[in-house]
Amino acid sequence: FSSAFFRRTMHSSGLVSAALMGVAAGVCVLALGLATLSAPDATNLYAATAPHVATSVTPQMAHMAVPRSPLAAAAHTTELEDDEFYALASSMVNVDEAVQTEAAAPEAPATSPVSWLLGAVGTACLGLFYAHQRRSSALQAELAAYEAEVEAKLDARAWRMAQVVGEMSASTAPAAVRVVDTSGASAGEQEMNLKTAGMNTKGLVHKKLVAELANRRQANAHTKTRAEVSGGGKKPYAQKGTGNARRGSSRSPLLRGGGVSFGPRNNRNYKQDINKKEGRLAISSLIQNRASVITVVNGLDSVMTEPSTKQAKAMIESLVQPGSGHKVLLVVDDTEGFDQADPLYLSVRNIPNVRFKQQKQLNVADLLWPHQILVSDKAMAGISGRFSA
């Protein structure tokens, strides 16, 4: 059992499964050991089948080397008398024939119930081992598939804005947007011609996005310096004579419990400035480039007379283009001000993946987020008036 198997076992099935497999492995080893001990010893088989061999050898053979056959050894002996030589040769031939006859068909060892039991236990343990190995492989495959799915979702979420920016074109030509009514019926198309940065659109939009995200950032992380950490006013030990480095405080950044050098501070300012004209041009360029996902809805500002999340959700589902995505941005007009008790705002604020914005509050981050943008006809008129070419 390799260490890799136990690592996979600990990773997939936990400590309990590893303990069970350890017990199974121990039982297998024990069964194999007992089966080996219960088998007849091949070295003792010769003595068991011919016990009279030891008594047939005369003392005159003690000084002889071990030959291939007793008869061949006797043929090379010249010191023995003729009678003794023939008697010894005939006795050794008889012993050799007896040994060969009895060793040719040894008796099969008796099979005991203990051997059958040990064999059954070993087989069951091996079956459990292979079943557990297959289960571990299946769990590893499921875990790998789940991790791949999670990574794909995270990548899609993290790179959504970057992908939209990367897909932007440098075209300055007017674009046609879809126009529908509040029921979703088509009402033709409308031409949209806003100012764009041309070849500099991607860089300008990215600059505006970085500035917006940086201005939202809060400096929450904070560490204390050695002057701010409580304690440390007493010199820890004498200046000389201890063999240690000289220290005047126990709150040094080099010591445990001391201050932090160059750590994050809550007074850091992450703000990034961008020119107003650059910011306006970035927003207008992005709106013009996202014309393919913009839908103008006639009468969207006054479609809801009272708050109803159910009706608002059904209306949004009927207005969006099929297969375009589940993230939707609603843009309404705020030329004459905006009331926080607006029925449409109260109806959509609890719907997942739906955002509500006024046309004067549009920014690059909000325009990059959705898959579909629903703009009221009044809000579209205000956008065209602000950013028209």
Side-chain angles (χ1 to χ4, degrees):
F1 302 103
S2 62
S3 59
F5 167 73
F6 282 102
R7 286 198 301 270
R8 294 198 303 269
T9 304
M10 296 291 290
H11 178 68
S12 60
S13 303
L15 294 174
V16 177
S17 182
L20 291 177
M21 293 310 303
V23 172
V27 172
C28 288
V29 173
L30 179 61
L32 292 175
L34 292 177
T36 304
L37 292 176
S38 62
D41 192 355
T43 58
N44 297 329
L45 184 61
Y46 189 87
T49 54
H52 56 279
V53 173
T55 60
S56 300
V57 181
T58 60
Q60 286 80 359
M61 296 183 63
H63 66 281
M64 297 174 59
V66 178
R68 295 183 180 179
S69 173
L71 185 59
H76 291 80
T77 304
T78 58
E79 297 180 359
L80 298 177
E81 297 294 336
D82 293 340
D83 297 338
E84 295 179 356
F85 169 74
Y86 289 115
L88 178 60
S90 60
S91 63
M92 294 305 295
V93 169
N94 295 334
V95 170
D96 192 21
E97 292 177 354
V99 170
Q100 292 180 0
T101 302
E102 296 183 9
E107 295 182 359
T111 303
S112 62
V114 177
S115 301
W116 285 102
L117 180 60
L118 292 176
V121 171
T123 304
C125 292
L126 289 177
L128 289 175
F129 167 73
Y130 287 113
H132 176 77
Q133 193 172 20
R134 292 184 60 184
R135 177 57 179 167
S136 300
S137 302
L139 290 176
Q140 286 182 354
E142 294 177 2
L143 181 61
Y146 175 75
E147 290 178 351
E149 182 181 359
V150 171
E151 289 180 0
K153 290 183 179 179
L154 292 178
D155 291 341
R157 184 181 304 173
W159 294 101
R160 171 61 186 169
M161 294 184 180
Q163 289 173 355
V164 174
V165 174
E167 294 170 358
M168 293 176 60
S169 64
S171 176
T172 58
V177 295
R178 189 171 69 109
V179 181
V180 298
D181 56 16
T182 55
S183 63
S186 177
E189 292 183 349
Q190 179 179 342
E191 186 180 84
M192 184 174 62
N193 187 16
L194 306 181
K195 292 181 181 180
T196 63
M199 298 296 295
N200 299 324
T201 298
K202 291 183 181 181
L204 187 59
V205 170
H206 179 266
K207 181 179 179 180
K208 183 69 167 63
L209 175 63
V210 171
E212 289 178 359
L213 298 180
N215 295 337
R216 296 179 185 181
R217 188 172 180 180
Q218 295 180 351
N220 297 326
H222 182 75
T223 56
K224 293 182 179 181
T225 63
R226 62 181 298 167
E228 297 171 336
V229 179
S230 178
K234 179 183 177 182
K235 189 176 179 65
Y237 44 79
Q239 180 81 352
K240 295 178 179 294
T242 63
N244 296 321
R246 51 194 176 186
R247 298 192 185 279
S249 173
S250 59
R251 298 298 182 261
S252 170
L254 305 179
L255 298 177
R256 179 175 176 268
V260 178
S261 299
F262 310 109
R265 305 287 293 179
N266 58 7
N267 57 356
R268 179 175 177 178
N269 185 11
Y270 293 98
K271 185 177 180 181
Q272 295 186 17
D273 294 329
I274 186 173
N275 296 332
K276 290 183 179 180
K277 291 184 178 180
E278 285 185 325
R280 288 167 56 90
L281 185 59
I283 294 175
S284 63
S285 300
L286 183 56
I287 295 175
Q288 183 69 28
N289 274 271
R290 302 221 68 191
S292 59
V293 298
I294 295 177
T295 301
V296 178
V297 183
N298 295 327
L300 180 63
D301 297 283
S302 57
V303 66
M304 302 294 296
T305 57
E306 59 182 10
S308 176
T309 303
K310 183 177 180 180
Q311 295 180 6
K313 185 176 181 180
M315 179 194 67
I316 293 174
E317 291 177 353
S318 64
L319 295 178
V320 297
Q321 300 180 18
S324 58
H326 59 280
K327 298 179 180 178
V328 180
L329 174 65
L330 298 179
V331 182
V332 298
D333 182 43
D334 58 350
T335 306
E336 300 177 356
F338 181 75
D339 186 8
Q340 293 293 333
D342 181 68
L344 180 61
Y345 168 70
L346 298 178
S347 300
V348 302
R349 62 180 180 177
N350 288 333
I351 301 177
N353 297 317
V354 174
R355 293 183 180 178
F356 186 91
K357 284 290 180 179
Q358 306 164 34
Q359 60 100 358
K360 291 184 179 180
Q361 295 178 343
L362 288 176
N363 53 61
V364 170
D366 290 332
L367 291 171
L368 289 173
W369 173 79
H371 298 107
Q372 280 285 304
I373 303 176
L374 303 180
V375 187
S376 68
D377 52 347
K378 294 182 180 180
M380 193 64 195
I383 291 172
S384 299
R386 291 175 59 197
F387 305 112
S388 61

